[in-house]
């Protein structure tokens, strides 16, 4: 793939330089670290479940599930939407499980777009993910961490915005440091954080169920009152619900590091979605046993309001649980997304240094650090929430296209080995749902979605400048080659051994 390489003319020089770097450091490397320089298969079933559950359960279920209630029109319909969104997400997740077992490459969305629709479409997905979606999404969840980790220290006063941003920067930096140092410890801490999230939900679910069994059912009377239901707003409720469940696809970003892919990926996805759907529904039932629909809609932080009513002074622990939940989403997100950049670099769509591994830590150090500059920039100067608004529809557009790619591959490559195969009904229903949400976004907010499309179109000149043309300007080639060599030496990374 010579024309698809950022360093096509001097790639061999860079690789040779990397081999020299490896040899120079070999004498300094402890004996236990003198093993093959590569990303090992360290993601077990338990770690896979912790990645999926740990990323899906973020701040949303603790803070504001009222969007679904507001747009569904009744308590009963809101619970139906939560269940339906869990089922739809399971359809999408199982479709990704099939893709992950028949295309055993890391990279998630990017890899499947590449296999189904070619390098151009894959680069478009990679480009908008790199320059807009991921930095903004990471900054938002990091800001939530900074806000809630400081909440117990400043109660009942407001937290200074600068303090929030500093705490956020420290949290984000620690996540990147952890992912740079050790895959094993990253996975272990993710398991701990996932258990913390489930414990936090248990703190809500157990008292709520106790109240329900005691007969506190007044808030469920007339639960399916249709007078307040507006069919035009039901799709918006599904949009909020699908957002709350998003994250089920992240295990596919690390497929090459999963033990026994054919068994682990489908099983981890199914178990994770069952856990998340059950926890989400029971948590909302618990909310309604303590709060009326009106109280829930008026609350800015539903979990905090619930804790104040049920747990008294112990409610101060809720912000800490929310912060840990956000930290788990940050940690899992960085772990998974770095593998997409790693694979894209290997395919020639990003600088070569991003597909290299640290000589002692055996982590994709350069790929882990990729999002750091843009995320920090948006953290301090960007209008993050506006960016997320007009980029969210692109997320569902491309996820829908990936699942459509599964259907396409069923007909174009029928002989492709498929150790795990879902009924065609699953991807078809999920595709229809995804595209309906996309068209709803275009109809409801044409200005912001238009801006998102504009950002998407910037991928076209980028593709031709960096990927398609072999004879790029000499000055640009020299800059890219120099940057690759310099980063390789500074970061002490080398190409993984075959």
């Amino acid at each position: 793939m010579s024309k698809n390489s950022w360093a096509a003319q001097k790639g061999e020089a860079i690789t040779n330089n990397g081999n020299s770097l490896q040899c120079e450091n070999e004498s300094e490397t402890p004996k236990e670290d003198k093993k093959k320089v590569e990303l090992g298969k360290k993601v077990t079933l338990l770690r896979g479940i912790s990645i999926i559950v740990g990323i899906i359960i973020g701040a949303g279920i603790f803070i504001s599930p009222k969007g679904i209630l507001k747009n569904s029109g009744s308590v009963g319909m809101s619970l139906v939407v939560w269940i339906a969104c869990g089922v739809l997400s399971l359809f999408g997740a199982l479709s990704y499980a099939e893709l992950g077992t028949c295309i055993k490459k890391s990279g998630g969305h990017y890899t499947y777009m590449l296999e189904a629709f070619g390098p151009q479409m894959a680069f478009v997905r990679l480009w908008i993910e790199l320059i807009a979606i991921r930095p903004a999404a990471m900054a938002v969840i990091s800001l939530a961490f900074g806000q809630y980790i400081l909440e117990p220290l400043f109660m009942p006063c407001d937290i200074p915005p600068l303090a929030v941003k500093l705490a956020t920067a420290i949290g984000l930096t620690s996540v990147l440091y952890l992912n740079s140092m050790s895959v094993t410890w990253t996975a272990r801490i993710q398991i701990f954080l996932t258990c913390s999230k489930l414990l936090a939900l248990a703190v809500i679910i157990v008292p709520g169920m106790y109240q329900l069994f005691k007969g506190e059912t007044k808030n469920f009377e007339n639960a399916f009152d249709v007078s307040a239901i507006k069919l035009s707003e039901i799709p918006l409720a599904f949009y909020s619900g699908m957002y709350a469940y998003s994250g089920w696809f992240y295990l596919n970003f690390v497929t090459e590091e999963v033990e026994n892919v054919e068994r682990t990926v489908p099983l981890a996805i199914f178990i994770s979605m069952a856990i998340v759907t059950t926890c989400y529904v029971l948590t909302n039932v618990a909310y309604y046993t303590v709060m009326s629909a009106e109280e829930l809609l008026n609350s800015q932080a539903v979990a905090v309001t619930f804790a104040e009513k049920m747990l008294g002074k112990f409610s101060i622990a809720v912000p800490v649980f929310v912060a840990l939940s956000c930290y788990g989403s940050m940690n899992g997100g960085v772990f998974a997304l770095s593998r997409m950049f790693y694979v894209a670099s290997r395919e020639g769509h990003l600088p070569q240094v991003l597909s290299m591994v640290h000589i002692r830590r055996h982590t994709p150090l350069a790929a882990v650090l990729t999002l750091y500059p843009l995320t920090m920039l948006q953290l301090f100067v960007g209008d993050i929430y506006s960016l997320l608004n007009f980029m969210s529809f692109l997320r569902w557009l491309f996820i829908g296209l990936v699942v459509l790619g599964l259907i396409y591959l069923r007909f174009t490559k029928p002989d492709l080995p498929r150790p795990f195969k879902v009924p065609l009904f699953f991807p078809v229903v999920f595709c229809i749902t995804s595209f309906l949400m996309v068209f709803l976004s275009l109809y409801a907010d044409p200005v912001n979605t238009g801006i998102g499309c504009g950002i998407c179109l910037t991928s076209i000149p980028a593709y031709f400048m960096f990927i398609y043309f072999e004879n790029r300007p000499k000055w640009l080639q020299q800059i890219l080659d120099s940057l690759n060599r310099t980063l390789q030496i500074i970061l002490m990374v080398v190409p993984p051994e075959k």
Side-chain angles (χ1 to χ4, degrees), residues 55-67:
I55 294 177
I56 293 178
I57 302 177
I61 189 63
F62 299 112
I63 301 171
S64 185
K66 62 185 181 183

Side-chain angles (χ1 to χ4, degrees), residues 221-371:
E221 295 175 2
N222 299 318
F224 290 92
D225 182 12
V226 297
S227 61
I229 298 176
K230 295 181 180 178
L231 292 178
S232 61
E233 294 181 355
I234 292 294
L236 296 176
F238 272 86
Y239 193 90
S240 299
M242 294 297 286
Y243 176 80
Y245 280 98
S246 63
W248 40 260
F249 40 75
Y250 277 108
L251 187 60
N252 294 69
F253 283 61
V254 297
T255 305
E256 293 172 23
E257 297 170 66
V258 176
E259 291 182 354
N260 192 3
V261 173
E262 291 88 347
R263 174 182 177 273
T264 302
V265 170
L267 198 55
I269 285 174
F270 185 83
I271 293 173
S272 299
M273 292 310 301
I275 291 173
V276 172
T277 304
T278 301
C279 288
Y280 276 10
V281 173
L282 291 179
T283 300
N284 279 274
V285 171
Y287 287 152
Y288 291 130
T289 60
V290 177
M291 293 179 284
S292 66
E294 291 74 18
E295 288 176 317
L296 191 144
L297 289 173
N298 292 328
S299 173
Q300 294 300 314
V302 178
V304 174
T305 303
F306 176 92
E308 289 172 350
K309 284 177 170 287
M310 290 296 300
L311 306 175
K313 292 182 179 180
F314 186 72
S315 63
I316 197 172
V318 171
V320 177
F321 279 128
V322 176
L324 288 174
S325 180
C326 294
Y327 195 85
S329 295
M330 293 158 58
N331 184 59
V334 170
F335 180 77
L337 289 166
S338 61
R339 274 55 178 181
M340 181 175 70
F341 302 139
Y342 174 87
V343 172
S345 170
R346 194 172 62 192
E347 295 290 339
H349 283 174
L350 285 177
Q352 187 183 15
V353 70
L354 299 185
S355 62
M356 297 183 185
V357 180
H358 193 275
I359 59 172
R360 291 195 298 273
R361 303 294 181 182
H362 302 163
T363 60
L365 180 60
V368 168
L369 298 176
T370 302
L371 284 178

Side-chain angles (χ1 to χ4, degrees), residues 22 32 71 73 84 97 102 127 135-136 149 162 188 211 224 232 264 282 284 313 382 398 415-416 432 477 498:
Q22 187 176 0
E32 63 269 22
N71 292 304
C102 69
W127 180 258
I149 200 68
L162 182 59
R188 287 174 180 171
Q211 291 296 313
F224 290 92
S232 61
T264 302
L282 291 179
N284 279 274
K313 292 182 179 180
F398 280 98
D415 298 327
L416 189 68
I432 293 172
Q477 185 64 56
K498 302 297 184 181

